[in-house]
Amino acid sequence: MLFLAMRSVRKRPGRFLATLLSAFLGAVIIMTFGSLHDTAAAPGVDEVSAESMTLSASVVGGYGSLLVFFAIASTLTVAVRQRAEEIRLLRCTGATPAQITHMVVGEAAVVALAGAALAVGPAVLGGRLLLGLFRDSGQVAATVDPAFGAMALGSGFGVALLASVGAAFLAVRRATRAAAGARGPARRRGRTWAGCAALVAGAGGVLTTYAVDPADEMLMAFPAYGAILLSVGFAVLAPALLGRILELLRGPLDALGGAGGYLSTRHLRRRGAELAGVLMPMIIFTGMATATLYIQGVESAWVTRSGPDRTVEDKNLETLNLVVVGIIVVFSCIMLVNSLYAATSYRRREFGQQRLAGATPGQVLGVVGREAVALTLTGLVLGTVAGIAGIIPFTMVRTDQVLPDQGPGTWLAVMAVAAVATLGTSLGTARRALSTPAIDAVTVAA
């Protein structure tokens, strides 16, 4: 099966490009911060430096592992759904669900290993740059030399491989059940329970903020993790939440778009489960970026007011924190673009069929644009709710205020990035798909 999987990847590499990119970027982040563990364990490293590197690597490793799993899961889910007809044909020709599962999981494993292998070089460089930031901030002694070994390689390859294999197994299991005509109420219940569990855990993390000493250096961790878990919970529950939000948007969409608005709403409701793969990175990006940037802003302002004796050290720490947060937020944005590209390029045949039925390219782009607007609004609303849930408790405990002093500028910037990424990727990919003649798009996709 591994041989067949490698042959399939070599034969049609384009279908695995999005998954390869997710695995590559995820492995770069995991290995970069994993190298801090190797450096901390090297001989001659003092305890203070080792503790600083181990703590940062552990915290960011938790963030990174979660993001990598969702990035690979969202792209793999879309990729497997693109092959629904192929899977249905394999089932009709005698292939068993186990054989199809082995094939798809094997392909995912090959792509994950390839992405992790390509990530080694950039991760080595990233680890050196990251260690330099720690040295400049005074967190690590200047005599500490960078190391890249078993922890970095094991964590990078392990997370990428486990996330790819696990996501592929779940996606192909759903696809083979759908090909057999089976419905999945148990799967929907499982998704609901998982989403609710993430929301409860996130709420617990956020509420724990009120029980922590206002001067505790680890105070930021509780609302930040709580906001991320809330984002994950909303993302998992995205199909059901999308339907409810579309009920509220149906009137404006129909009024503004006419027949196109009606088609957009109908398409979004009918394919809510598939579009969850797009909403997932959008909600996580919005919630995580909003929460972490505002929380860091509140922390920086509080440190500045606490006294000049800590200002220099904490400004260096602020710079380091912003770099770490920036890396994760940028990865989340890339994950969003990656998922949108995979989801929109999958619709090449659908666009061709619409054009053969009489729709003009402009009308098709109009429908795609309205769908992107509805998805953007849904993702921004849910992500903002998750972010605010972490911001308000931290601000209240740290500063005795309800809202931070930073104003809406940061939030508007995050919203703008998410909107531009969503609309630009959706319309750009759709325009590229429409450049193919309609008859060719239908024939090739078939």
Side-chain angles (χ1 to χ4, degrees), residues 5 9 16 19 76 103-113 160-161 164-165 168-169:
V9 172
F16 304 103
T19 305
L76 265 174
M103 179 187 70
V104 175
V105 170
E107 293 169 354
V110 170
V111 173
L113 291 174
L161 185 61
S164 297
V165 169
F169 176 80

Side-chain angles (χ1 to χ4, degrees), residues 51-442:
E51 182 179 357
S52 299
M53 290 186 288
T54 301
L55 179 61
S56 298
S58 300
V59 171
V60 179
Y63 282 121
S65 299
L66 185 65
L67 288 173
V68 169
F69 176 80
F70 277 99
I72 295 176
S74 61
T75 52
L76 265 174
T77 298
V78 173
V80 172
R81 283 187 174 130
Q82 291 177 356
R83 304 171 65 180
E85 292 296 331
E86 176 187 343
I87 291 173
R88 190 173 293 110
L89 179 61
L90 289 172
R91 292 284 286 126
C92 292
T93 55
T96 65
Q99 290 173 328
I100 297 173
T101 300
H102 290 160
M103 179 187 70
V104 175
V105 170
E107 293 169 354
V110 170
V111 173
L113 291 174
L118 292 173
V120 172
V124 171
L125 177 60
R128 292 177 178 272
L129 294 175
L130 187 61
L131 180 61
L133 289 174
F134 271 90
R135 289 170 175 166
D136 295 340
S137 68
Q139 301 252 296
V140 174
T143 57
V144 176
D145 294 323
F148 192 92
M151 284 295 296
L153 292 173
S155 59
F157 276 87
V159 170
L161 185 61
L162 289 175
S164 297
V165 169
F169 176 80
L170 294 176
V172 74
R173 187 169 179 267
R174 291 194 294 266
T176 51
R177 287 174 61 87
R183 298 186 178 270
R187 176 172 62 86
R188 288 192 293 271
R189 287 196 298 270
R191 176 188 285 271
T192 301
W193 280 107
C196 291
L199 291 179
V200 171
V206 167
L207 293 176
T208 303
T209 308
Y210 293 104
V212 181
D213 186 345
D216 195 318
E217 294 181 356
M218 295 299 295
L219 180 64
M220 293 176 61
F222 299 102
Y225 268 121
I228 291 174
L229 287 172
L230 288 173
S231 300
V232 171
F234 286 138
V236 172
L237 296 174
L241 296 174
L242 177 61
R244 296 183 180 275
I245 292 178
L246 285 176
E247 287 292 335
L248 301 176
L249 296 177
R250 183 171 61 180
L253 284 175
D254 290 348
L256 293 175
Y262 170 79
L263 290 175
S264 300
T265 306
R266 184 178 179 85
H267 175 267
L268 289 171
R269 288 180 60 84
R270 182 170 59 86
R271 303 177 67 178
E274 298 178 19
L275 293 170
V278 175
L279 277 176
M280 187 179 294
M282 189 187 307
I283 295 170
I284 292 176
F285 166 72
T286 304
M288 187 172 186
T290 302
T292 52
L293 291 176
Y294 271 103
I295 287 173
Q296 180 59 57
V298 172
E299 176 72 7
S300 300
W302 178 79
V303 168
T304 300
R305 291 194 298 266
S306 65
D309 56 320
R310 300 181 57 197
T311 300
V312 175
E313 175 186 351
D314 288 317
K315 280 188 175 180
N316 290 332
L317 182 58
E318 174 190 358
T319 301
L320 182 61
N321 287 340
L322 289 176
V323 169
V324 171
V325 170
I327 291 173
I328 297 175
V329 169
V330 168
F331 176 70
S332 301
C333 188
I334 293 174
M335 176 176 70
L336 169 60
V337 173
N338 199 19
S339 299
L340 278 168
Y341 174 81
T344 307
S345 60
Y346 160 55
R347 302 173 62 185
R348 186 184 302 270
R349 183 184 183 189
E350 174 192 336
F351 296 157
Q353 291 173 331
Q354 291 174 351
R355 292 165 64 192
L356 290 177
T360 65
Q363 289 172 327
V364 175
L365 282 177
V367 172
V368 173
R370 281 183 284 271
E371 293 172 0
V373 169
L375 285 174
T376 301
L377 291 175
T378 303
L380 295 185
V381 168
L382 296 176
T384 299
V385 170
I388 291 176
I391 294 169
I392 291 178
F394 180 78
T395 305
M396 292 178 66
V397 173
R398 201 60 130 181
T399 66
D400 292 329
Q401 298 178 203
V402 177
L403 296 176
D405 295 328
Q406 283 73 20
T410 301
W411 177 76
L412 291 174
V414 172
M415 300 302 104
V417 170
V420 169
T422 304
L423 295 172
T425 304
S426 298
L427 293 176
T429 308
R431 185 181 295 276
R432 181 179 177 184
L434 289 170
S435 65
T436 303
I439 188 65
D440 291 343
V442 174

